[in-house]
């Protein structure tokens, strides 16, 4: 019951924040961009993040066990993405991202109520396994934020070239600033993904209780690592940007989604099996 209340509290805070943002956009004069996040809005988002995090902790770690599945997986990725977004608002105006981040937080906080995920992870008591799991989810979260960020950049660039830039997108930072942020996200996430794969390969028996196996999750994770590595290399050597960077980012992100979240969706939602 407590877990359900925490999920509902987080969803309510995201909803309140979303309504506040859209009201301020509607009331502001058309030519004027919206001001940065106000102190009350920042506090409200922090409350939503805390409630969301506590609800996930209760859902994933009920006692000594560790439950996971499609709903908690997506919710955890969204939660981590919102955390990084909240931190970034202290350094740059990211108002145009509100329209994507806040609804994602609302859906992500409520998703475990619909798809609670009954898959029990083995070796949950191992500190090495928990460290591996946390690093992996941090990596997935940053890549999720990077993919959304890249898509938003593509939409903003297209509207800018067509001369029909909406007021929401007009509040975004300059495209060069957003591009710098995008590759910073990808660079940090790539390091975390490297740590995830290397720890999984080197300590497979300790982490998972079995020797290293090249299963579908590992294959897709390696494909994602190769794609993002090629993107960073191409950026450094050939100066890749724009649509080229968008294609590589989305391709790498799709492979990463198929590595775990996609498989849990097929098993739990489409096939209706908890394991």
């Amino acid at each position: 019951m407590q877990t359900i209340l925490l999920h509902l509290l987080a969803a309510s805070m995201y909803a309140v924040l979303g309504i506040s943002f859209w009201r301020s956009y509607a009331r502001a004069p058309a030519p004027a961009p919206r001001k940065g996040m106000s102190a009350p809005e920042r506090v409200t988002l922090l409350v939503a993040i805390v409630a969301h995090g506590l609800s996930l902790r209760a859902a994933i770690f009920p006692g000594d066990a560790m439950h996971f599945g499609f709903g908690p997986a997506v919710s955890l990725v969204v939660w981590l993405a919102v955390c990084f977004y909240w931190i970034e608002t202290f350094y740059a105006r990211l108002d145009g991202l509100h329209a994507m981040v806040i609804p994602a937080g609302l859906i992500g906080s409520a998703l475990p109520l619909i798809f609670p995920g009954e898959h029990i992870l083995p070796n949950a008591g191992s500190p090495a396994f928990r460290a591996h799991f946390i690093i992996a989810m941090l990596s997935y979260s940053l890549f999720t934020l990077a993919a959304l960020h890249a898509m938003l950049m593509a939409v903003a660039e297209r509207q800018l070239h067509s001369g029909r830039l909406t007021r929401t997108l007009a509040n975004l930072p300059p495209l060069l600033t957003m591009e710098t942020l995008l590759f910073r996200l990808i660079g940090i996430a790539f390091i975390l993904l490297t740590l995830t794969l290397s720890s999984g390969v080197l300590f497979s028996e300790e982490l998972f209780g079995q020797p290293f196996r090249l299963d579908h999750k590992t294959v897709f994770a390696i494909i994602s690592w190769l794609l993002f590595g090629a993107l960073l290399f191409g950026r450094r050597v050939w100066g890749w940007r724009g649509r080229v960077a968008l294609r590589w980012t989305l391709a790498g992100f799709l492979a990463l989604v198929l590595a775990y979240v996609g498989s849990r969706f097929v098993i739990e939602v489409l096939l209706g099996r908890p394991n």
Side-chain angles (χ1 to χ4, degrees):
M1 185 65 182
Q2 183 180 3
T3 303
I4 295 176
L5 292 177
L6 286 171
H7 281 296
L8 293 177
L9 174 61
S12 300
M13 292 295 98
Y14 286 126
V16 167
L17 199 56
I19 293 172
S20 172
F21 283 139
W22 283 113
R23 282 183 176 177
S24 63
Y25 277 121
R27 293 173 181 173
R34 185 187 188 277
K35 295 182 179 180
M37 187 182 294
S38 65
E41 290 170 340
R42 199 181 299 278
V43 171
T44 302
L45 182 55
L46 180 60
V47 172
I49 289 172
V50 172
H52 192 170
L54 291 175
S55 66
L56 280 173
R57 183 183 182 279
I60 297 174
F61 300 105
D64 296 330
M66 187 173 178
H67 293 190
F68 208 55
F70 169 71
V74 174
S75 185
L76 182 57
V77 169
V78 171
W79 177 74
L80 290 169
V82 176
C83 287
F84 284 108
Y85 164 79
W86 185 80
I87 294 172
E88 283 293 333
T89 59
F90 286 94
Y91 303 99
R93 283 190 53 191
L94 304 175
D95 297 352
L97 295 177
H98 296 334
M100 298 182 69
V101 173
I102 301 305
L106 173 61
I107 296 171
S109 61
L111 201 59
L113 295 176
I114 305 173
F115 304 109
E118 300 176 358
H119 178 57
I120 300 177
L121 298 179
N123 304 312
S126 168
F129 176 81
R130 294 199 176 198
H132 172 84
F133 176 82
I134 291 172
I135 293 172
M137 294 314 300
L138 282 171
S139 173
Y140 296 166
S141 170
L142 282 175
F143 279 129
T144 300
L145 189 56
L148 295 173
H149 191 88
M151 288 188 289
L152 187 62
M153 284 179 59
V155 172
E157 185 177 14
R158 182 175 299 178
Q159 290 195 4
L160 185 63
H161 289 163
S162 65
R164 298 193 303 269
L165 195 64
T166 63
R167 188 168 22 159
T168 300
L169 295 180
N171 285 315
L172 291 173
L175 287 177
L176 288 178
T177 302
M178 294 187 66
E179 187 175 77
T180 301
L181 176 60
L182 172 65
F183 279 96
R184 182 160 69 241
L185 289 170
I186 293 175
I188 297 172
F190 181 76
I191 294 173
L192 293 173
L193 182 58
T194 303
L195 292 174
T196 301
L197 290 174
S198 59
S199 64
V201 171
L202 296 175
F203 307 108
S204 178
E205 193 156 2
E206 180 183 352
L207 292 174
F208 310 112
Q210 58 187 10
F212 173 71
R213 291 190 311 170
L214 199 64
D215 56 13
H216 72 282
K217 289 184 286 187
T218 306
V219 169
F220 278 114
I222 291 174
I223 291 173
S224 176
W225 183 84
L226 291 172
L227 289 171
F228 281 114
L231 171 59
L232 292 173
F233 182 80
R235 163 76 169 181
R236 185 175 184 84
V237 176
W238 298 297
W240 286 357
R241 56 183 303 180
R243 293 183 180 179
V244 175
L246 173 64
R247 293 191 190 102
W248 282 87
T249 300
L250 295 182
F253 175 70
L254 178 61
L256 197 61
V257 168
L258 292 175
Y260 187 79
V261 177
S263 65
R264 295 315 311 171
F265 176 79
V266 172
I267 292 172
E268 295 180 20
V269 180
L270 299 184
L271 299 181
R273 301 205 312 260
N275 295 305

